[in-house]
Structures are given as C-alpha cells and as structure tokens.
Amino acid sequence: MASFAQWVEGARPRTLPNAISPVIAGTGAAAWLGAACWWKALLALLVAVAMIVGVNYANDYSDGIRGTDDVRAGPLRLVGSRLAAPRALLTAAVVSLAVAAVAGVVLAWFSAPWLIAVGALCLAGAWLYTGGSRPYGYSGLGEVAVFVFFGLIAVLGTQYTQALRIDWVGVACAVAMGCLSSAVLVANNLRDIPTDKQTGKITLAVRLGEGRTRVLYQVLVATAFVVTLALMRATPWAAAGLAALPLAVRAARPVRRGLGGKALIPVLRDTGLTMLVWAVATALTLVISAR
C-alpha cells in the first residue's frame, strides 16, 4: 500500500503552480478593473487546485491501467508502480473532481450561472485527457487543452467571476499563463518521448520529434515575456514580470543543452516557479496600478 507521502507525491505537487498562478493572475486582472473579491478568488483557487489534483490522479489511473507508466523516467505514478490499486486512484480522482465541481457551482451561482456549463466542459476535459476510449492526450492535443483550460479559462474565468467582464489585460495574462502551463507539459512529454513511443502514446512531442519539441518549449516560455512587454502599455510597472526571467533561463538550460530523461525533471519545477513568480509580480503591479 502507498504511504501518505507517496499519495502526496502521486498528486504531483510540483504541478500546483499550474493551478495557483492563473488564479493569481486573474485576480490581478480583476483588481485592474477595480473589482477584486477575496472570497471569490479563494473559491476559484479551490476549484483550480482540486481540479489539477483530480486530473493528476485520473491520469495516474488511466495511464496505469493501459500500461503506459510501466516504464517511466518521471515522477512517481501510483498505479504504474503497483503502490495503489486502480480503484483507489479512481476514487481519489472522483473525489477531487467532485470538490472542484461543488466549489465551481457555488462560484458560478454567485457570479454568472452560465459558467456552470464551462465547468462541466472542464470536468470532461480533465477526464478525457487520458481517460475514455479515445483520450485526446494520446493524440497530440494535450498542450492545446492545457493552454485553454489552465490559461484562457482559468485566468479569464477568475477575472470574470469577480469583475463580471474581461478586458485585454486579462486576455494577455491568460495567454502568458497558458503558454507557461503548456511549456510544463511540453517538457514533461519531451522527457517521455522514448517510453511514449513504445506504449503508443502519441503526444505532440512524439509527433514533432525531439528537436522541434525543444524549440517549442523555448518559444512558449519566451512568449510570456513578450506579453510582459505588451502589459507595459497598461502600466509600466508590469515590467516587474521580468523578475521571473532568471528562473525561465534556468528552466530552459537543460532543454537547450539537449539533456533528456531524469535530467529534464527540474525543468518542470523551474517552469512552474517561473509561472508563479510571473503571476505574483504581474498581479501585484495590476493591484497597485488599479484604475
């Protein structure tokens, strides 16, 4: 049986910046419109964290029963390592996604009830990433989904539930978060190209090949800092987002050097930290410069 620590590791805490950062950025964008609401921000954070934990457990379950994780260079997977029964992972995934659903319904009810439909789409996307008979994560669409769900929907949804409208600043933040979040998945799939090929998991990295995947990662990370320059049109203080640049350079170094396997694991951590620092710095400048 898996220990508590292994269950925590199986939830992949290093991916938490992918959930937390968009909510911070979206709240900053709402503050820019003079409409930040702390309790709605906390509800959005609960939705995002529960969703990503649910996604991670669901992926562990689905990949595990398919045998995709039998040979793996990345972080611990509970089913693939035979540390937990598939049913236990399925239960954990359902519970986590249920928490996200309840919090999301409450948030939508007090903001815009039509957002419940968006939440249902997010839940379907969470499960069908590696679940179901034709998972889109096995067809090279994972990065697109991450950009949409953890970029556009997460940031703009957070801004909208608080301000009841969005603006170009929110869209810019959403693009930056989507690119950095997708970069985390690109690095993950770059590391797994050899094993994914063996198991028939056709990710975008498998389709592009190693060389072009390394270029894609760097383009996605660089785009976030191009967005920073664009946000300086709203307030010059948005340049504070460049504080994340040293972390981005460190994250990209193993990718540029052609490293593979376990040497790419720190890239996921450092890209996540880049995302978090960028979101915090940018949100603070938007709060301070709020109209």
Side-chain angles (χ1 to χ4, degrees), residues 138-141 193 197 202-209 212-213:
Y138 281 49
S139 302
L141 296 174
I193 285 177
K197 283 183 177 180
I202 310 301
T203 63
L204 181 60
V206 171
R207 290 184 183 277
L208 292 178
R212 285 184 290 183
T213 299

Side-chain angles (χ1 to χ4, degrees), residues 97-126:
L97 294 176
V99 170
V102 171
V105 167
V106 173
L107 180 59
W109 184 260
F110 286 100
S111 303
W114 61 267
L115 288 173
I116 294 174
V118 177
L121 177 64
C122 293
L123 289 173

Side-chain angles (χ1 to χ4, degrees), residues 74-203:
L76 175 73
R77 288 295 184 95
L78 295 168
V79 175
S81 300
R82 308 296 190 270
L83 290 171
R87 182 176 294 275
L89 263 295
L90 179 59
T91 300
V94 169
V95 169
S96 298
L97 294 176
V99 170
V102 171
V105 167
V106 173
L107 180 59
W109 184 260
F110 286 100
S111 303
W114 61 267
L115 288 173
I116 294 174
V118 177
L121 177 64
C122 293
L123 289 173
W127 177 254
L128 295 175
Y129 174 54
T130 55
S133 58
R134 299 184 66 180
Y136 63 85
Y138 281 49
S139 302
L141 296 174
E143 285 78 3
V144 175
V146 166
F147 182 86
V148 172
F149 292 122
F150 288 98
L152 301 183
I153 291 178
V155 175
L156 296 178
T158 299
Q159 184 186 32
Y160 188 86
T161 54
Q162 296 178 51
L164 296 182
R165 63 190 178 101
I166 62 174
D167 69 340
W168 76 268
V169 169
V171 172
C173 290
V175 169
M177 290 294 95
C179 285
L180 289 172
S181 197
S182 296
V184 174
L185 183 58
V186 168
N188 181 81
N189 290 342
L190 172 63
R191 181 200 64 216
D192 291 342
I193 285 177
T195 54
D196 285 345
K197 283 183 177 180
Q198 292 176 12
T199 57
K201 185 176 183 179
I202 310 301
T203 63

Side-chain angles (χ1 to χ4, degrees), residues 247-261:
L247 281 169
V249 171
R250 186 175 75 179
R253 189 173 296 124
V255 177
R256 293 196 312 271
R257 290 180 175 176
L259 302 182

